[in-house]
Amino acid sequence: MGQAGCKGLYQSLFDYKTEKYVIAKNKKVGLLYRLLQVSILTYLVVWVFLLKKGYQDTDTSLQSSIITKVKGVTFTNTSELGERLWDVADYVIPPQGENVFFIITNLIVTPNQRQETCAESDSIPDALCYEDSDCPPGKPVMTGNGVRTGRCLRAENLTRGTCEIFAWCPVETRSRPEKPLLGKAEDFTIYIKNFIRFPKFNFFKTNVLDTKDRAYLKSCYFGPKNPYCPIFRLGSVVKWTGSDFQEIALQGGVIGIQIEWDCDLDRAPSECNPRYYFNRLDSTFPGSSVSSGYNFRFAKYYRDGAGVEFRTLMKAYGIRFDVMVNGRAGKFSIIPTVINVGSGVALMGVGSFLCDLVLIYFIKKSHFYRNKKFEEVR
């Protein structure tokens, strides 16, 4: 038995297999085969080549630079600051014109703070005390404004007070104003200049109209008629995100400005145009949730006539803008074209394979077709 098996294996090494074409007069299988061919051909032409541009080499390594400028002035008259004119140097942080910038729309001002001792704010839970032992000296107040001095300060006829602290005094105690300080800032303008380069194709483009008219950028606004005038009205940007300007100006927020470049370099460069998308990035909560808004604190420092330092503390509410750029470029190349055509031809073979399975295994006369397809010749 072992010798016979080895002999059969040895003889099979010299067998040769060749294809045999059998024309099956079966309308159902023939119809299935044509449907598969049409489907594969439609997928290859419509999806791969027309929609996905499978004949192009692509570059997604976009190199981009963003320059931003904000313009606008407004006037306020408050008890803390008096009459004041606000220009771009006052309300834009940072002033360098980067892709992330912040516009102040509301303020809590605590003027004339000096480093001395005073009572901690009674809104800080860790600062509440009943006696001096509740205020160990040198220990910072958690989420507070300074370090404890060891004294518990209580008003007359009250058993509970707050720890005395060494800090910038007086501490901030005012709540957020009910109306935004710079409520008229919606008429400010934002200028966003974007330079891009696709290094694979050495292709450059900018989102600003190439013109020698110096008055163009001083009189235009972004819109369907001026897609290459990247000057946006602040109130319009907020509106495009689906938000209310007075609400976001009161408590602050974060807005994302997405610039997308989708360039078909087989066409004229003038047809490579930017698209803008505006979205509210911070989570908005109904009502007056403590998680809503965006704010931070900063201070301006001074010295009096005696050389003693003091400062004005500002808690700034406003709109943070994140300008993001992405894109892709495509250009005809023979290599992806050949690869995708070859893939389509291979898919045609899959259609033949599926029809063979149906023919020799799943129809009534499968045994008859199987005998016709596979024949042993000696």
Side-chain angles (χ1 to χ4, degrees):
M1 186 66 181
Q3 291 181 352
C6 291
K7 182 179 180 180
L9 178 61
Y10 172 76
Q11 292 177 345
S12 68
L13 294 176
F14 300 96
D15 291 346
Y16 170 72
K17 295 180 180 179
T18 184
E19 291 184 358
K20 177 183 180 181
Y21 292 95
V22 178
I23 300 175
K25 299 294 186 178
N26 188 302
K27 293 183 179 180
K28 293 181 179 179
V29 177
L31 179 61
L32 175 62
Y33 182 56
R34 298 308 176 196
L35 287 176
L36 288 173
Q37 283 184 319
V38 171
S39 299
I40 293 171
L41 187 62
T42 302
Y43 162 77
L44 185 65
V45 173
V46 177
W47 177 258
V48 175
F49 284 103
L50 294 182
L51 296 179
K52 291 299 182 180
K53 295 183 173 69
Y55 55 86
Q56 290 185 334
D57 189 12
T58 60
D59 185 5
T60 57
S61 57
L62 176 70
Q63 297 174 350
S64 173
S65 176
I66 291 288
I67 299 173
T68 58
K69 292 181 181 180
V70 181
K71 288 189 177 182
V73 295
T74 189
F75 176 81
T76 61
N77 188 358
T78 63
S79 58
E80 296 84 6
L81 300 173
E83 294 184 351
R84 181 165 181 173
L85 181 72
W86 295 78
D87 65 9
V88 63
D90 297 314
Y91 58 74
V92 175
I93 301 173
Q96 290 88 352
E98 301 176 355
N99 64 317
V100 178
F101 60 97
F102 178 82
I103 298 178
I104 297 173
T105 56
N106 205 5
L107 279 176
I108 297 177
V109 181
T110 307
N112 299 321
Q113 285 189 324
R114 299 172 184 268
Q115 290 197 6
E116 53 192 14
T117 59
C118 57
E120 178 61 283
S121 171
D122 57 7
S123 64
I124 307 297
D126 191 45
L128 301 179
C129 61
Y130 293 92
E131 54 188 21
D132 290 348
S133 60
D134 295 330
C135 304
K139 184 178 180 180
V141 178
M142 186 178 300
T143 69
N145 298 285
V147 296
R148 298 174 174 88
T149 64
R151 297 178 59 196
C152 180
L153 303 180
R154 297 182 296 273
E156 295 182 2
N157 302 322
L158 293 179
T159 58
R160 191 179 70 175
T162 58
C163 293
E164 182 185 65
I165 58 172
F166 178 77
W168 287 96
C169 299
V171 296
E172 179 185 281
T173 56
R174 294 183 63 242
S175 58
R176 187 183 65 204
E178 296 181 357
K179 293 183 179 181
L181 178 66
L182 303 186
K184 296 182 180 179
E186 58 186 324
D187 291 324
F188 293 172
T189 60
I190 305 172
Y191 173 46
I192 303 175
K193 185 189 296 185
N194 181 209
F195 299 96
I196 64 160
R197 176 176 178 263
F198 290 101
K200 181 181 287 187
F201 307 118
N202 198 31
F203 177 79
F204 299 83
K205 195 73 187 284
T206 181
N207 65 335
V208 182
L209 181 67
D210 185 11
T211 178
K212 296 181 180 180
D213 184 3
R214 295 182 178 271
Y216 175 71
L217 292 177
K218 296 181 180 179
S219 57
C220 69
Y221 287 95
F222 174 80
K225 295 182 179 179
N226 292 308
Y228 278 88
C229 176
I231 296 179
F232 305 88
R233 180 176 172 270
L234 179 55
S236 298
V237 172
V238 175
K239 182 180 179 181
W240 292 333
T241 68
S243 302
D244 177 72
F245 180 81
Q246 295 300 319
E247 176 268 328
I248 196 173
L250 181 65
Q251 62 182 7
V254 183
I255 290 178
I257 301 177
Q258 181 80 42
I259 306 176
E260 184 174 312
W261 297 84
D262 189 359
C263 300
D264 185 351
L265 301 186
D266 292 325
R267 300 180 178 180
S270 60
E271 296 190 36
C272 174
N273 300 317
R275 293 184 179 181
Y276 298 88
Y277 301 92
F278 306 89
N279 298 285
R280 181 83 180 265
L281 299 183
D282 62 310
S283 299
T284 55
F285 299 90
S288 55
S289 172
V290 295
S291 300
S292 299
Y294 180 82
N295 63 78
F296 64 92
R297 292 175 175 84
F298 68 96
K300 294 186 177 181
Y301 294 85
Y302 311 91
R303 290 188 182 274
D304 59 19
V308 179
E309 186 179 42
F310 68 99
R311 74 179 189 180
T312 297
L313 177 66
M314 298 186 183
K315 183 178 181 180
Y317 297 82
I319 308 173
R320 167 178 162 155
F321 291 90
D322 289 16
V323 184
M324 300 160 284
V325 183
N326 61 30
R328 63 178 296 279
K331 192 173 184 179
F332 175 78
S333 175
I334 191 62
I335 295 177
T337 303
V338 171
I339 290 175
N340 283 297
V341 169
S343 299
V345 173
L347 285 176
M348 290 293 185
V350 173
S352 300
F353 174 75
L354 291 176
C355 289
D356 281 348
L357 290 179
V358 173
L359 188 68
I360 64 180
Y361 291 110
F362 297 106
I363 63 176
K364 292 182 180 180
K365 296 183 179 181
S366 60
H367 180 74
F368 170 76
Y369 287 115
R370 190 161 53 249
N371 289 336
K372 291 294 183 180
K373 181 173 179 61
F374 300 105
E375 181 177 352
E376 184 176 341
V377 179
R378 296 181 181 275

